[in-house]
Amino acid sequence: GEQRDYIDSTWGCGYLLASSFVFLNLLGQLTGCVLVLSRNLVQYACFGLFGIIALQTIAYSILWDLKFLMRNLALGGGLLLLLAESRSEGKSMFAGVPTMRESSPKQYMQLGGRVLLVLMFMTLLHFDASFFSILQNIVGTALMVLVAIGFKTKLAALTLVVWLFAINVYFNAFWTVPVYKPMHDFLKYDFFQTMSVIGGLLLVVALGPGGVSMDEKKKEW
């Protein structure tokens, strides 16, 4: 009801269209998540969830809020990595024969996913003069750069997982805020959005950076 009223007041689209949007949003998210978790039609589910993210970006005016936009792009990065993971590798008819290394679409999707994921951490940077903030910014920026360029990627991504999880539990503890307060919903949204990005980083830990990365180039050197 609150979501319907928000959409109606923002866009003036009327009760029926606002209710239809909320229902479509809910159904799209649930269907996509069920398909991904059951490992059925994962690629179609990813495209559907991409559409939901784009729809939310426009409907909730996230496009004009840089912080929320960067977080939504980070979610898109996680989906891009999931899409890359779901692509089946074609079997070579010349098994065991050395071939020229080529950058496949999957490898570029992994690169794009890594770059988009680090946008989440850019929203966590604090621009003040305290020692802890400066240290956090330096370490966080270094880890973000490592993941983006694909150098020591698994270790950097795993470190970011631990760091982001700790920050998420500390700053987005929605369970400590009464349900009737608006802050409860804001923190809850941030908490689960951040957990989705952590899932994307775990895909990086599990699958590695892909072919377009410094880790891969080191093997050629």
Side-chain angles (χ1 to χ4, degrees):
E2 292 176 353
Q3 295 296 314
R4 179 200 62 223
D5 293 342
Y6 174 83
I7 294 297
D8 187 16
S9 64
T10 302
W11 294 96
C13 56
Y15 179 90
L16 182 61
L17 282 177
S19 299
S20 300
F21 167 79
V22 174
F23 179 74
L24 177 65
N25 193 25
L26 174 64
L27 184 64
Q29 290 182 79
L30 288 177
T31 303
C33 291
V34 168
L35 289 175
V36 167
L37 290 174
S38 62
R39 306 297 293 171
N40 292 311
L41 304 174
V42 175
Q43 295 189 35
Y44 294 103
C46 287
F47 286 123
L49 290 171
F50 274 126
I52 292 293
I53 291 177
L55 192 62
Q56 290 178 347
T57 300
I58 296 171
Y60 292 101
S61 302
I62 292 174
L63 194 60
W64 315 116
D65 188 316
L66 185 59
K67 178 180 177 181
F68 280 102
L69 178 61
M70 292 172 73
R71 290 189 170 209
N72 263 26
L73 288 173
L75 277 182
L79 280 176
L80 204 56
L81 288 169
L82 183 60
L83 184 62
E85 185 265 344
S86 70
R87 289 176 64 92
S88 57
E89 294 286 351
K91 294 182 179 179
S92 171
M93 65 175 61
F94 302 106
V97 179
T99 57
M100 294 293 291
R101 184 181 301 277
E102 296 180 358
S103 296
S104 67
K106 174 180 177 180
Q107 294 171 342
Y108 284 112
M109 283 192 288
Q110 287 178 285
L111 171 63
R114 294 199 322 267
V115 173
L116 289 176
L117 274 182
V118 300
L119 293 178
M120 168 64 80
F121 297 92
M122 294 180 67
T123 67
L124 301 175
L125 298 177
H126 299 284
F127 299 99
D128 56 63
S130 69
F131 174 77
F132 180 76
S133 293
I134 293 174
L135 179 63
Q136 177 178 304
N137 289 347
I138 292 174
V139 174
T141 302
L143 291 172
M144 285 189 287
V145 171
L146 290 176
V147 170
I149 65 176
F151 183 70
K152 301 292 183 182
T153 316
K154 290 189 175 185
L155 178 60
L158 185 59
T159 306
L160 282 176
V161 165
V162 175
W163 180 42
L164 187 55
F165 182 77
I167 290 176
N168 194 31
V169 170
Y170 182 77
F171 287 107
N172 296 324
F174 65 90
W175 52 87
T176 63
V177 180
V179 178
Y180 61 84
K181 291 188 176 183
M183 185 55 68
H184 176 89
D185 289 333
F186 282 113
L187 292 177
K188 189 176 182 180
Y189 174 80
D190 279 353
F191 180 86
F192 285 107
Q193 190 181 46
T194 306
M195 291 300 292
S196 297
V197 174
I198 288 175
L201 284 169
L202 287 174
L203 276 175
V204 175
V205 174
L207 303 175
V212 187
S213 63
M214 290 191 66
D215 284 343
E216 192 68 21
K217 295 302 179 184
K218 284 193 303 180
K219 298 176 183 178
E220 300 176 4
W221 299 341

